[in-house]
Each structure stands twice: as structure tokens, then as C-alpha cells.
Amino acid sequence: MNDSRRMILGFILIFLFMLLFQFYTASNKKRTEGEVPTETVEAKDTVIEEEEDNLTELLSEKDKAEEEDSSEAIKVSTKLMDVYLSAKGGVIDSLYLKDYKVMFFALNRSEPLLSTSIVTPRKTVSTQPINFNVKVEDENPDKKVIFSYMLDTIAVNKTYIFPDSSYLIHLKCSPRAEYLYEIGVFDTGEEFSRESYYSGAVYYAGGKSYTVKKGDLFKGSDEDVSGAIEWIGYKTKYFLSAVVPEDYLDDFTLKKSPDLPLISVRSETEVQLYFGPLKFSALNSVKEGLENAIYFGWPIIRPIAKFIYSFMLLLHKYINNYGMVIIIFVVCLVLILSPLTLHQTKSMGKMKELQPKMQEIRKKYKNDPQRMNQETMKLYRETGFNPFSSCLPMFLQMPVFFALFQVLNGSIELKGAPFIFWIKDLSVKDPYYILPVLTGISMFFQQKVMSPAQQDDQQKIMSYMMPVFITFIFLTLPSGLTLYFFIYNILMLGVQTIIQKRTKEV
């Protein structure tokens, strides 16, 4: 196989790998030993035993509570969101994020986003059947909703505190005991391809984030995870709901169900709840490590992706168009790769010079492939030509390309970000497929410039097939990513043309 065909085959294998990469599991779930009992969990600071029997009477109040259900709905508005709570159970029913115009609601609309249960040595008592009394304190800067219920000598209270400029919600419960906080699998009503790829339970432990895909939450038996867990939640492509303790959690349970899976977290009377975007600045301001809920790709490309992400955010402070930010990023990348491009162009020029001799070798030893390869390698040694040096810029670009795929495909900053004319959202595919076609055309002309003058029939066929293949690949990729590749091809085509012209003049 000659070197040109090797290079073309390399392109094909790399982009096939890129296609398979899209379907690769983002991360693997980690199971550790330990169990969290669902019915009887020994609490650290539990209600005193003489009051426990009265507390468990809450269970017998369920039927009465249902008959007297007031279903009082409470709305709390902050600068960032509207939160809808219910007096029945003192739960969070749904949320509306103002900046993103999306509503969080449980997949089973009749269930809440968040509910609680009190853990005693003998029973786990759900507070969901209780019809709480409600008090709203609409004070600046924080707002409060206090749910209270008296049962004999026991005061059951739930206080929600809403900072005005945060996606955090603080929850304080009493009596002093251990609690189970149950987060429901939520939806935002948005439609995007391969939803199950992005959605799932996510948690952070031991300096690493782990994801349990959405599809795995609807089947199988419950899973218990224990350890030093810094936060746990559920995410979609762009949004996250999570329990974020001040310190860490000891364990949690994934309660799997075909109807409504739940993430059951055992914690103390006070917790922080995050309901908001998967946005680096918003997450990092809550707790260091929470930003790892954003998937930046494989460990080997994650640093590159984070650098690209930070660089693009920096540029966006001065340029209020992410399409232009992408173009500027490509210009910077081309400038960095220009020395390598010069080396690549010289290598390709030398390959053109060697083509007549290589054609003679192929013709002379066409019936002896082994001898053909030996003579070809001998020619390379005598002329000092390295056939793989021309592929170096391409291989160096691939980690950047994969990192860009993660940044441009998953960053909420690009969600709904327009470029020009028909490109209204850089996070989705080009609706008219103009950019993918232009990318294929640019690849065709780039191959024309870089390919040897003398090509056999197979090489000519591949020079036409490769741009078609590239066009097909980019039809469904985010337009921001396609824009990057198109601009990169155009700039590199110009650089290669200038270098070849100057090389000939010399």
C-alpha cells in the first residue's frame, strides 16, 4: 500500500473512530461496598425514643391527610428562578429557570422534584402525606418558606431559604434526626438527539465524577453506593439537580423504577440543593468540584477541553458572538500549527518529486509486493523522506478536535447562541446543511493542493470519496463544530498554497 493511500485510510479510520466516539459511554459508574437500609437506618442524632411512637403516628395520619388535602401551591420568585412548592408534604413540585426559559418537572408529573423522609431506628417516616401550615417570609435578600406541623409534642418543620441571585436552595428540617432526601428524575421538556447519552445520575467521589445513565435507572434492582461522596444529583444535557452537602455524604441509594426512579440521599437536617444550568461559573461558585458534573471528555483530552472552554469564555467577554469566537480560536490554532504545516507541505512536495520513481517501483515489482515494499523503503532512506511526517499536524489536531466536540456539543453557553443568517443555534446541526457541504468542498480542494500530481485510479476515487464521507459525518454534528472545521480547512488551504508558492520560487 503506497503512502498516499495510507494517509487517506488513516483519515477514514480516524473519522470512523470519531463517529463511534459519539456513542461511547461518557463515564462508568463506580460501585463501592456498603449498604443503606431503606427501612431501618440507625441515626446519629435521632429523636428521643419516648417520642418515636408519636412520630410514627404520622403514618396513621396519611388517610386523614389525604382527605383534608389543601394542595396549597406556593410560588417563590428570585432573580434566577421561580420555584413552585406544595403544602402537601412541603415538597418542591417544579422550577422555572428564567434565563433559560425551561421548567424542571418530574417525569411523573404527579410526583415532586424533591421529597423528604425522617429516619428513626425503627422506621423511615415519609413527610409527604402531611398537610403543612405555610409561612412565607418575602425578605431581601433571601426569601423563606416555612412549613410546620404539630403532632402532640413533636414539631415537624421544613424551612426553604432562597438566595436571590443563586441556583442554590437551602433546606433545614426538624426534629433533629437523619433524613432521606429523594430527588426525582426530571425533564425540561426540551428535545435533543441521544438524550439518554447525556442524562443520568451523577456523583463525585474520590476526586472523580461518575455517571449512571438514564436508561439504567429504569431497570434492575436498587443500588447502594457508600464512601466520601461530595455531591450527588441527576443531570440532562444542560441542567442539573443535586444535593450538595457542606462537607460530604456517607452514602446514597439509586431507587430504580420503570415509572419514576429516585436518588435517595441520607443526610443531616440541613442540606443545600442545586437546581440550575451545567455552567462552570455557576457550579464552581457553589462548591469546588461541582463543576465536574460537566462532561469534558476522556481524561486524556479533558485538560485540553477545559482550556478551550476557558479560552472561549475569555474571548466572549470581548466578542459577543460565539461564532466569531470560534473563528478567532481557529486562527490562533492555525498560527500555532503553521510551523508543522510548513514541514508537512515540504514533505508533500518531496513526495510529489518521488512519485515518478515510486511509480516505476510499483510497475516493476507489481507481482512481488514484498520486494515492492523493500524498494520503496530503500527509496525513502536514500532520499531522507519520512512518509508519516506529513500526517503529524493531523494527529496533533485530533485531540483538539475531540476536545472541541465536547465543548461545542455540551456547553450550555452555546445553547441558543446564534452566528449569522441561518445559523440560529451553534449547539445544533445546520438546519440547511450548508456548512457541512462547504466543509466537504473545502476538504476536496485541500486534498487537491496536498495530493501528488500523479495519482492512480484508486487515489483519484478516494480524493472524491473522502470529502463526501466528511460531509456525511458533519450533517448531524453541531454547527459550531462544523464551522470550526470549515474555517480550519479554508485557512490551512491558504497557508499551504502560500507555502507551496514560496517553495517553488526558492
Side-chain angles (χ1 to χ4, degrees), residues 294-325:
I294 304 173
Y295 181 64
F296 280 112
W298 296 335
I300 193 172
I301 68 170
R302 195 170 297 150
I304 302 174
K306 288 184 176 181
F307 174 79
I308 293 172
Y309 179 82
S310 300
F311 182 66
M312 292 180 65
L313 292 184
L314 177 64
L315 289 177
H316 192 255
K317 290 182 178 180
Y318 307 98
I319 304 170
N320 194 27
N321 185 306
Y322 271 109
M324 295 304 300
V325 167

Side-chain angles (χ1 to χ4, degrees), residues 10-11 27 38 44 56 119 145 151 162 200 420 452:
F11 268 104
S27 58
T38 58
K44 298 174 184 175
T56 56
V119 179
V145 175
L151 178 63
F162 304 89
I420 55 172

Side-chain angles (χ1 to χ4, degrees), residues 203-325:
Y203 64 98
Y204 192 72
K208 296 182 180 179
S209 60
Y210 302 91
T211 301
V212 181
K213 285 193 173 183
K214 178 181 178 181
D216 294 330
L217 299 176
F218 290 87
K219 57 188 178 182
S221 56
D222 295 351
E223 292 186 23
D224 299 329
V225 179
S226 63
I229 300 159
E230 298 191 32
W231 50 262
I232 170 67
Y234 180 83
K235 71 174 183 178
T236 62
K237 184 176 183 179
Y238 294 114
F239 300 100
L240 171 72
S241 65
V243 174
V244 186
E246 292 288 347
D247 193 4
Y248 61 87
L249 302 165
D250 292 324
D251 44 40
F252 69 88
T253 300
L254 295 177
K255 293 186 174 181
K256 300 184 178 183
S257 166
D259 299 319
L260 182 63
L262 296 172
I263 301 171
S264 182
V265 180
R266 189 178 72 176
S267 187
E268 302 296 334
T269 56
E270 296 187 24
V271 294
Q272 297 182 109
L273 308 169
Y274 180 88
F275 292 93
L278 285 166
K279 186 176 182 179
F280 192 95
S281 58
L283 297 167
N284 186 256
S285 64
V286 172
K287 185 177 184 180
E288 186 177 356
L290 188 58
E291 72 277 3
N292 287 284
I294 304 173
Y295 181 64
F296 280 112
W298 296 335
I300 193 172
I301 68 170
R302 195 170 297 150
I304 302 174
K306 288 184 176 181
F307 174 79
I308 293 172
Y309 179 82
S310 300
F311 182 66
M312 292 180 65
L313 292 184
L314 177 64
L315 289 177
H316 192 255
K317 290 182 178 180
Y318 307 98
I319 304 170
N320 194 27
N321 185 306
Y322 271 109
M324 295 304 300
V325 167

